Amino acid sequence: MPNVYVTRVIPQPGIDRLRARGYQVDVNESDTPLTQEQLREKAATYDALVTLLTDHIDRQVLDAGKGKLQIVANVAVGYDNIDAPAATEDGIIVTNTPGVLTETTADFAWTLLMAVGRRVVEGDQFFRGGRYKGWGILMLLGEDVYAKTLGIVGFGRIGQAVAQRATGFSMDILYYDPVIQAEDAARRVGARRVELDTLLRESDYVTVHTPLVPETRHLIGMPELQKMKSTAYLINTSRGPVVDEGALVDALRQNLIRGAALDVYENEPAPHPGLTELENTVLTPHIASASRETREKMATMAADNVIAVFEGQAPPTAVNPEVLKK
Ligand code: GLV
């Protein structure tokens, strides 16, 4: 029987599904990320690794698994933590979990957008801190969301789901995506495709939904932040390095933009120095897809990918399906 190593605790239905097939499933119950050496050792001894975004599945790990390891099933839609080209060279399938987290993540991008625009977290801290001494007409003024301009950077599944929600707020919707055309989706929500410069200059809320690839690293840096309106907000639920976090801290300090709401960071779990001291930010710990239902679906989807590979079938969501043709 093939064996599976799960690098950290995941929702139980994913494990149950694998065990129901009779596979040997071992789990790192400590729930702390394995070292690179431990990952190499697991890659060499197991037929499948079920990984999380905190695992760095680099060439050395994959090479250690070459000949034994058949699949790395990442429990995340993003797979920038895995050297997919190296996996392809080694004949190892890589899978991710697209689709199941789209709506949950879009909900959360909106949660952040509204929280930062309407100063929800500041208001909560103000109240808890005993500073609410009586109502005031100028107290904690934020910016409207209704009928404002939303700029969506990256118009894939999640970007489109964010756009769909914006129609309920009668927003003007702009999007920038150099790869995806998505004309039909854009037409359905009345979104306009523009260059990044136009999006930055015209939007009141800029929300980022690109994968992390070399072309998107620091896509939003100081030059881009300088183009934004001084009343605009930046929201990032994609991957931290898409935004130059140091530049963002500087831009917020200099009031180049009004605020930012981040769920992802350049060097997780550490924030860039100064970030947590800024009041005009909402900072959450990478939880955009963290609903009970969605995390369970992600875990079972990863399990289904492993099962398919073990049963000689095409895994539902391979990122390097070319391996199967080899
Ligand atoms: C979470 O960040 C994911 O990529 O699924």
Side-chain angles (χ1 to χ4, degrees):
M1 264 296 170
N3 58 2
V4 184
Y5 193 79
V6 184
T7 61
R8 289 181 64 179
V9 172
I10 62 168
Q12 194 59 34
I15 312 252
D16 291 347
R17 194 170 284 218
L18 291 166
R19 289 204 172 127
R21 297 279 165 149
Y23 308 145
Q24 179 196 324
V25 183
D26 296 322
V27 182
N28 169 20
E29 300 285 355
S30 79
D31 198 27
T32 46
L34 299 183
T35 63
Q36 292 311 106
E37 195 187 333
Q38 288 170 321
L39 284 173
R40 287 196 291 275
E41 191 254 310
K42 302 301 179 199
T45 12
Y46 286 85
D47 300 291
L49 291 181
V50 174
T51 56
L52 294 171
L53 55 85
T54 43
D55 297 313
H56 300 292
I57 308 298
D58 57 18
R59 183 176 282 280
Q60 287 71 32
V61 172
L62 294 157
D63 285 353
K66 193 172 178 180
K68 168 78 175 161
L69 184 64
Q70 298 176 50
I71 171 171
V72 177
N74 211 36
V75 189
V77 66
Y79 53 93
D80 47 281
N81 59 311
I82 302 175
D83 187 340
T88 306
E89 279 173 35
D90 286 344
I92 299 166
I93 288 277
V94 176
T95 61
N96 66 341
T97 61
V100 288
L101 47 72
T102 300
E103 304 299 338
T104 306
T105 305
D107 280 353
F108 198 76
W110 264 90
T111 305
L112 289 182
L113 186 157
M114 301 204 68
V116 74
R118 297 300 306 274
R119 305 179 68 177
V120 173
V121 176
E122 278 180 84
D124 179 271
Q125 286 166 352
F126 184 85
F127 188 84
R128 286 173 202 273
R131 283 180 279 155
Y132 183 40
K133 305 291 184 203
W135 187 83
I137 201 162
L138 298 179
M139 204 171 74
L140 285 165
L141 300 182
E143 299 290 335
D144 273 328
V145 174
Y146 177 82
K148 291 292 183 81
T149 299
L150 177 66
I152 302 175
V153 179
F155 206 60
R157 283 177 293 259
I158 299 171
Q160 291 172 27
V162 167
Q164 200 237 320
R165 285 156 176 74
T167 62
F169 286 82
S170 301
M171 293 180 100
D172 274 338
I173 308 169
L174 307 178
Y175 73 99
Y176 165 74
D177 197 313
V179 182
I180 294 169
Q181 296 293 327
E183 279 156 11
D184 288 346
R187 203 170 307 114
R188 272 197 300 277
V189 295
R192 190 156 52 92
R193 186 190 188 94
V194 292
E195 288 306 317
L196 184 57
D197 269 18
T198 309
L199 182 147
L200 295 167
R201 287 186 209 287
E202 292 185 10
S203 299
D204 299 298
Y205 295 88
V206 173
T207 181
V208 182
H209 301 285
T210 64
L212 175 61
V213 290
E215 298 75 29
T216 60
R217 189 171 286 274
H218 284 193
L219 181 66
I220 307 294
M222 190 46 98
E224 288 71 32
L225 293 161
Q226 278 167 334
K227 286 174 194 152
M228 287 173 65
K229 294 182 185 177
S230 59
T231 50
Y233 295 89
L234 179 72
I235 297 107
N236 188 11
T237 50
S238 65
R239 282 293 182 269
V242 177
V243 174
D244 178 344
E245 207 172 301
L248 177 62
V249 169
D250 289 344
L252 289 166
R253 278 199 183 123
Q254 295 165 35
N255 294 316
L256 295 183
I257 62 173
R258 175 91 8 118
L262 307 178
D263 186 48
V264 288
Y265 306 86
E266 272 206 83
N267 295 304
E268 290 181 25
H272 188 88
L275 183 65
T276 52
E277 280 124 59
L278 294 163
E279 283 197 335
N280 47 349
T281 55
V282 174
L283 306 172
T284 52
H286 205 148
I287 53 170
S289 68
S291 74
R292 259 177 250 285
E293 303 97 308
T294 290
R295 288 283 163 88
E296 283 192 5
K297 285 185 200 151
M298 291 165 70
T300 51
M301 192 169 198
D304 286 343
N305 278 305
V306 171
I307 292 166
V309 167
F310 285 173
E311 294 186 347
Q313 282 150 25
T317 55
V319 306
N320 59 351
E322 57 274 24
V323 170
L324 299 164
K325 296 188 201 109
K326 282 193 172 174

